mmCIF file of all heavy atoms in Angstrom:
data_model
loop_
_atom_site.group_PDB
_atom_site.id
_atom_site.type_symbol
_atom_site.label_atom_id
_atom_site.label_comp_id
_atom_site.label_asym_id
_atom_site.label_seq_id
_atom_site.Cartn_x
_atom_site.Cartn_y
_atom_site.Cartn_z
ATOM 1 N N ASP A 71 -11.699 -6.308 -8.178
ATOM 2 C CA ASP A 71 -12.087 -7.545 -8.902
ATOM 3 C C ASP A 71 -11.053 -8.624 -8.602
ATOM 4 O O ASP A 71 -9.940 -8.361 -8.163
ATOM 5 C CB ASP A 71 -12.140 -7.271 -10.397
ATOM 6 C CG ASP A 71 -13.200 -6.258 -10.783
ATOM 7 O OD1 ASP A 71 -14.202 -6.189 -10.037
ATOM 8 O OD2 ASP A 71 -13.015 -5.600 -11.789
ATOM 9 N N PRO A 72 -11.434 -9.868 -8.915
ATOM 10 C CA PRO A 72 -10.468 -11.001 -8.711
ATOM 11 C C PRO A 72 -9.128 -10.727 -9.409
ATOM 12 O O PRO A 72 -9.082 -10.038 -10.405
ATOM 13 C CB PRO A 72 -11.195 -12.182 -9.313
ATOM 14 C CG PRO A 72 -12.633 -11.829 -9.228
ATOM 15 C CD PRO A 72 -12.707 -10.339 -9.401
ATOM 16 N N GLY A 73 -8.066 -11.340 -8.861
ATOM 17 C CA GLY A 73 -6.718 -11.125 -9.321
ATOM 18 C C GLY A 73 -6.409 -11.775 -10.658
ATOM 19 O O GLY A 73 -7.328 -12.037 -11.412
ATOM 20 N N PRO A 74 -5.170 -11.935 -10.898
ATOM 21 C CA PRO A 74 -4.119 -11.947 -9.890
ATOM 22 C C PRO A 74 -3.583 -10.596 -9.486
ATOM 23 O O PRO A 74 -3.370 -9.754 -10.386
ATOM 24 C CB PRO A 74 -3.035 -12.838 -10.536
ATOM 25 C CG PRO A 74 -3.165 -12.615 -11.990
ATOM 26 C CD PRO A 74 -4.636 -12.374 -12.246
ATOM 27 N N TRP A 75 -3.415 -10.410 -8.224
ATOM 28 C CA TRP A 75 -2.774 -9.232 -7.636
ATOM 29 C C TRP A 75 -1.427 -9.611 -7.162
ATOM 30 O O TRP A 75 -1.268 -10.731 -6.616
ATOM 31 C CB TRP A 75 -3.663 -8.659 -6.485
ATOM 32 C CG TRP A 75 -4.981 -8.206 -7.022
ATOM 33 C CD1 TRP A 75 -6.119 -8.954 -7.059
ATOM 34 C CD2 TRP A 75 -5.324 -6.954 -7.562
ATOM 35 N NE1 TRP A 75 -7.177 -8.264 -7.632
ATOM 36 C CE2 TRP A 75 -6.690 -7.014 -7.940
ATOM 37 C CE3 TRP A 75 -4.607 -5.744 -7.808
ATOM 38 C CZ2 TRP A 75 -7.341 -5.929 -8.499
ATOM 39 C CZ3 TRP A 75 -5.284 -4.685 -8.358
ATOM 40 C CH2 TRP A 75 -6.650 -4.769 -8.713
ATOM 41 N N VAL A 76 -0.397 -8.768 -7.359
ATOM 42 C CA VAL A 76 0.937 -9.177 -6.979
ATOM 43 C C VAL A 76 1.504 -8.391 -5.770
ATOM 44 O O VAL A 76 2.489 -8.775 -5.247
ATOM 45 C CB VAL A 76 1.911 -8.954 -8.195
ATOM 46 C CG1 VAL A 76 1.500 -9.891 -9.289
ATOM 47 C CG2 VAL A 76 1.923 -7.566 -8.665
ATOM 48 N N GLN A 77 0.776 -7.308 -5.380
ATOM 49 C CA GLN A 77 1.230 -6.570 -4.186
ATOM 50 C C GLN A 77 0.028 -5.988 -3.555
ATOM 51 O O GLN A 77 -0.959 -5.617 -4.181
ATOM 52 C CB GLN A 77 2.218 -5.461 -4.703
ATOM 53 C CG GLN A 77 2.941 -4.785 -3.565
ATOM 54 C CD GLN A 77 3.937 -3.755 -4.094
ATOM 55 O OE1 GLN A 77 4.158 -3.626 -5.300
ATOM 56 N NE2 GLN A 77 4.587 -3.082 -3.199
ATOM 57 N N LEU A 78 0.100 -5.830 -2.208
ATOM 58 C CA LEU A 78 -0.984 -5.329 -1.411
ATOM 59 C C LEU A 78 -0.417 -4.502 -0.270
ATOM 60 O O LEU A 78 0.503 -4.985 0.391
ATOM 61 C CB LEU A 78 -1.816 -6.526 -0.831
ATOM 62 C CG LEU A 78 -2.957 -6.269 0.074
ATOM 63 C CD1 LEU A 78 -4.058 -5.553 -0.733
ATOM 64 C CD2 LEU A 78 -3.471 -7.581 0.610
ATOM 65 N N VAL A 79 -0.852 -3.260 -0.119
ATOM 66 C CA VAL A 79 -0.353 -2.383 0.907
ATOM 67 C C VAL A 79 -1.541 -1.681 1.639
ATOM 68 O O VAL A 79 -2.552 -1.468 1.025
ATOM 69 C CB VAL A 79 0.646 -1.306 0.380
ATOM 70 C CG1 VAL A 79 1.931 -1.966 -0.098
ATOM 71 C CG2 VAL A 79 0.052 -0.502 -0.718
ATOM 72 N N ALA A 80 -1.348 -1.427 2.917
ATOM 73 C CA ALA A 80 -2.421 -0.794 3.721
ATOM 74 C C ALA A 80 -1.927 0.562 4.210
ATOM 75 O O ALA A 80 -0.827 0.717 4.604
ATOM 76 C CB ALA A 80 -2.723 -1.727 4.939
ATOM 77 N N GLY A 81 -2.864 1.488 4.202
ATOM 78 C CA GLY A 81 -2.702 2.835 4.742
ATOM 79 C C GLY A 81 -3.448 3.025 6.027
ATOM 80 O O GLY A 81 -3.912 2.006 6.612
ATOM 81 N N GLN A 82 -3.766 4.253 6.399
ATOM 82 C CA GLN A 82 -4.493 4.467 7.606
ATOM 83 C C GLN A 82 -5.849 3.825 7.531
ATOM 84 O O GLN A 82 -6.245 2.978 8.336
ATOM 85 C CB GLN A 82 -4.613 5.971 7.821
ATOM 86 C CG GLN A 82 -5.450 6.390 9.002
ATOM 87 C CD GLN A 82 -4.733 6.357 10.280
ATOM 88 O OE1 GLN A 82 -3.492 6.252 10.338
ATOM 89 N NE2 GLN A 82 -5.440 6.362 11.384
ATOM 90 N N ASP A 83 -6.701 4.243 6.609
ATOM 91 C CA ASP A 83 -8.056 3.744 6.477
ATOM 92 C C ASP A 83 -8.369 3.268 5.015
ATOM 93 O O ASP A 83 -9.508 3.372 4.534
ATOM 94 C CB ASP A 83 -9.093 4.806 6.846
ATOM 95 C CG ASP A 83 -9.018 5.156 8.330
ATOM 96 O OD1 ASP A 83 -8.925 4.227 9.138
ATOM 97 O OD2 ASP A 83 -9.102 6.318 8.723
ATOM 98 N N TYR A 84 -7.386 2.834 4.346
ATOM 99 C CA TYR A 84 -7.584 2.384 2.964
ATOM 100 C C TYR A 84 -6.459 1.391 2.609
ATOM 101 O O TYR A 84 -5.449 1.255 3.302
ATOM 102 C CB TYR A 84 -7.586 3.559 1.980
ATOM 103 C CG TYR A 84 -6.243 4.311 1.824
ATOM 104 C CD1 TYR A 84 -5.489 4.163 0.671
ATOM 105 C CD2 TYR A 84 -5.750 5.074 2.843
ATOM 106 C CE1 TYR A 84 -4.279 4.843 0.505
ATOM 107 C CE2 TYR A 84 -4.534 5.714 2.730
ATOM 108 C CZ TYR A 84 -3.812 5.602 1.590
ATOM 109 O OH TYR A 84 -2.599 6.226 1.438
#
Side-chain angles (χ1 to χ4, degrees):
D71 296 332
W75 297 91
V76 295
Q77 191 175 356
L78 179 65
V79 292
Q82 178 80 16
D83 292 319
Y84 67 109

